[in-house]
Amino acid sequence: MYSIHDEEKVKEFLQEKSYPKFRYSQIENAIYKNFINNFDEIKTIPKDLREDLKKNFFFDSLKVESQVTSSNWQTTKILFKTSTWEFIESVIMRHLTWRVTLCVSCQAGCPMACSFCATWKLGLKKNLSFYEIVEQIYYAARLVDSEGSRLRNIVYMWMGEPMLNYDNVKKSIDFAASQKKFDLSNRRITVSTCWIVPWIKKFTKDFSQVSLAVSLHAPNDEIRKKIMPVDHTYPLKDLMNALDEYVDKTNKRIFYEYIMINWVNDNIKLAYELWELLKWRLAHVNFIPYNPWEWTASDWFKPTPRFIIEKFQDILKKFSIPSTIRATMWDDINAACWQLANKKVEKEEKKI
C-alpha cells in the first residue's frame, strides 16, 4: 500500500484504473481543503473509487501515542509512533498574535551529538519518509482548522538534522507550499540546521525563498567543537562562507540560534566576538535559555541568568544586530526537545 499523500502514486493508480484525471483534484480538495481523512467520507467521488482507494492507500502511517497541551493553551506537543516503532514529536505553538507555528521532526533521533540536546542520546534510528513528515503537518493543520484557525508557519527544527534527510525534507516543503495542498508561502517555512555545509549550498539553489536558521551557539571554533562535534568537519569559516553565498543569492536574513549555557558560552567577551562574526551580515540572533530539564550528556549544564542574556542582547543592539530572547511557552508539559519521546522509550525498554 502507498500513502494517500504520494501524489505521483495516486495519479498512476487512477490512470491504471481508467478513472478520469479530474478525480485526483476532487480527492486533493477533500483531503487538504476540507481535511477529510476517511475515504468513506469523500462523497465527491464514486463509491467504487472510494473502495479502490481503501484497498491501495492509507492515510496514517503515524499513530498518536500522546497529546499534551499547556495550561495556557498556547502549546500542544504530539508524540507519534511510526509504523516501524520509532517515536517522533511535533509541537504546535499558538502565538498571542494568532500566528500558529508547527515544529516538525525529520528524523527519528539525531546523529549530530550536540551535548546540550536530549535527542542525540537515541542516536539516529531512521530518516523519516516525506509522507511521515507530511502526516505531521496534516495532523496539525487539521487540528488547528478544527479550532477555527489556520497553520501559518512550519519550522524544521524538532527531532533530527534536516540536511541529512534532504530529499524527503525537500519533497515535504514542496508539498506544504503547493497551492492545492497546504498553500503555505515559502517565506513562512524555516529550516534549522547544524550547518552541514555542502547541503546548505544545495539548499541555496533549491529554496531561495525558504528561511534558514543555523545552530551557532558559540562565535568561535574552540567552544563550538566542545559542544557540537560537527564543527570538527565544518569549521566556522566554511560555514560562514556558505551562508554568505545564501545571502548573496536570496538577500534573506539568516536566523542564528544561540543556546545560553552558564560558564560554557555566556562570557560577556563572547558577545563582542559574536558581533565581530556577524557585523555587516544580514543576521538575527535568537538567544535560547538553556532548559535544565533536558536529558543531556552534560548534566552539569546550567541555564544562563536572564540578566546576562540581556547583556548579550544589549551589546548586539549597540552594533545594530537584531536579536530576541526565545520565550518558553511549554514548561508545564516538558516540551524541551524530545522529552516525551525519551519517557516513552524508557517505558518501552523496561518491558523488554
Side-chain angles (χ1 to χ4, degrees):
M1 295 183 74
Y2 299 100
S3 170
I4 193 64
H5 302 300
D6 192 331
E7 179 176 344
E8 183 178 334
K9 292 295 183 183
V10 177
K11 286 183 174 178
E12 286 178 2
F13 169 79
L14 293 175
Q15 185 175 3
E16 289 172 3
K17 294 290 185 176
S18 299
Y19 287 107
K21 290 183 178 180
F22 70 83
R23 291 301 183 195
Y24 181 76
S25 296
Q26 292 176 312
I27 296 168
E28 185 178 44
N29 187 70
I31 295 173
Y32 304 108
K33 302 306 178 185
N34 297 321
F35 292 106
I36 295 173
N37 68 339
N38 185 315
F39 292 119
D40 289 329
E41 295 177 11
I42 306 178
K43 302 300 184 182
T44 52
I45 61 176
K47 184 177 179 180
D48 59 340
L49 175 53
R50 295 199 298 268
E51 294 301 319
D52 279 342
L53 290 173
K54 280 196 290 185
K55 294 174 183 176
N56 292 276
F57 295 91
F58 57 83
F59 267 98
D60 302 311
S61 65
L62 302 181
K63 176 185 176 183
V64 176
E65 284 289 301
S66 66
Q67 181 172 309
V68 187
T69 299
S70 59
S71 57
N72 63 6
W73 193 72
Q74 281 188 264
T75 307
T76 297
K77 186 171 184 180
I78 307 107
L79 176 67
F80 296 100
K81 182 168 69 177
T82 72
S83 60
T84 48
W85 293 77
E86 291 87 15
F87 295 95
I88 62 172
E89 297 173 333
S90 300
V91 171
I92 301 169
M93 293 175 287
R94 306 170 185 86
H95 304 273
L96 296 178
T97 57
W98 297 101
R99 177 171 54 91
V100 181
T101 298
L102 173 68
C103 286
V104 297
S105 295
C106 60
Q107 294 178 311
C110 183
M112 302 312 294
C114 299
S115 60
F116 51 81
C117 180
T119 306
W120 80 272
K121 291 201 87 170
L122 179 63
L124 176 63
K125 296 296 184 181
K126 75 167 187 176
N127 284 331
L128 298 185
S129 65
F130 89 93
Y131 61 80
E132 288 173 315
I133 301 173
V134 168
E135 283 183 30
Q136 296 172 68
I137 301 171
Y138 184 76
Y139 183 89
R142 191 168 184 264
L143 176 63
V144 171
D145 180 76
S146 72
E147 298 168 352
S149 189
R150 183 186 173 192
L151 184 64
R152 294 288 183 182
N153 301 78
I154 297 176
V155 183
Y156 288 76
M157 65 178 304
W158 207 245
M159 292 177 67
E161 166 52 59
M163 297 298 177
L164 294 181
N165 189 16
Y166 189 87
D167 290 341
N168 286 311
V169 167
K170 180 181 184 299
K171 193 170 181 180
S172 70
I173 291 174
D174 290 336
F175 196 99
S178 170
Q179 192 173 34
K180 294 183 178 180
K181 299 295 194 304
F182 298 112
D183 194 21
L184 286 167
S185 166
N186 276 291
R187 294 177 179 274
R188 294 184 177 274
I189 299 173
T190 301
V191 173
S192 177
T193 177
C194 288
W195 30 270
I196 311 298
V197 170
W199 290 103
I200 290 177
K201 293 183 177 183
K202 182 170 176 56
F203 178 87
T204 301
K205 294 178 181 178
D206 291 340
F207 294 109
S208 61
Q209 296 303 311
V210 173
S211 297
L212 185 63
V214 176
S215 295
L216 185 64
H217 306 310
N220 61 59
D221 287 316
E222 181 182 358
I223 296 175
R224 288 167 70 242
K225 285 177 180 177
K226 293 178 181 178
I227 60 176
M228 301 183 75
V230 72
D231 189 79
H232 290 272
T233 305
Y234 301 113
L236 194 57
K237 181 180 178 181
D238 293 342
L239 168 66
M240 300 313 294
N241 287 338
L243 296 179
D244 287 343
E245 290 179 23
Y246 169 84
V247 174
D248 287 343
K249 180 176 180 179
T250 66
N251 197 35
K252 287 180 66 67
R253 189 181 302 275
I254 292 175
F255 295 90
Y256 292 89
E257 309 286 350
Y258 197 111
I259 192 167
M260 298 295 290
I261 309 171
N262 202 207
W263 303 109
V264 175
N265 63 351
D266 65 350
N267 188 300
I268 293 301
K269 72 175 185 178
L270 295 177
Y272 291 96
E273 286 189 40
L274 187 59
W275 161 68
E276 285 286 349
L277 180 67
L278 299 180
K279 68 180 181 182
W280 315 122
R281 287 185 161 106
L282 275 176
H284 183 108
V285 179
N286 190 9
F287 292 111
I288 306 169
Y290 174 73
N291 191 320
W293 295 101
E294 290 181 3
W295 182 43
T296 68
S298 303
D299 294 333
W300 58 86
F301 281 179
K302 302 296 180 185
T304 295
R306 177 81 180 195
F307 76 92
I308 294 180
I309 302 178
E310 291 174 350
K311 281 187 178 180
F312 265 67
Q313 194 172 34
D314 288 341
I315 290 168
L316 294 188
K317 185 177 180 181
K318 288 179 183 178
F319 298 110
S320 301
I321 297 176
S323 66
T324 51
I325 300 175
R326 179 179 293 176
T328 54
M329 299 169 58
W330 43 70
D331 289 348
D332 63 329
I333 58 171
N334 291 329
C337 179
W338 206 65
Q339 283 185 323
L340 283 182
N342 277 335
K343 292 178 181 179
K344 185 64 180 178
V345 170
E346 285 179 327
K347 289 180 181 178
E348 293 297 320
E349 287 178 345
K350 288 178 181 178
K351 295 177 183 179
I352 300 174

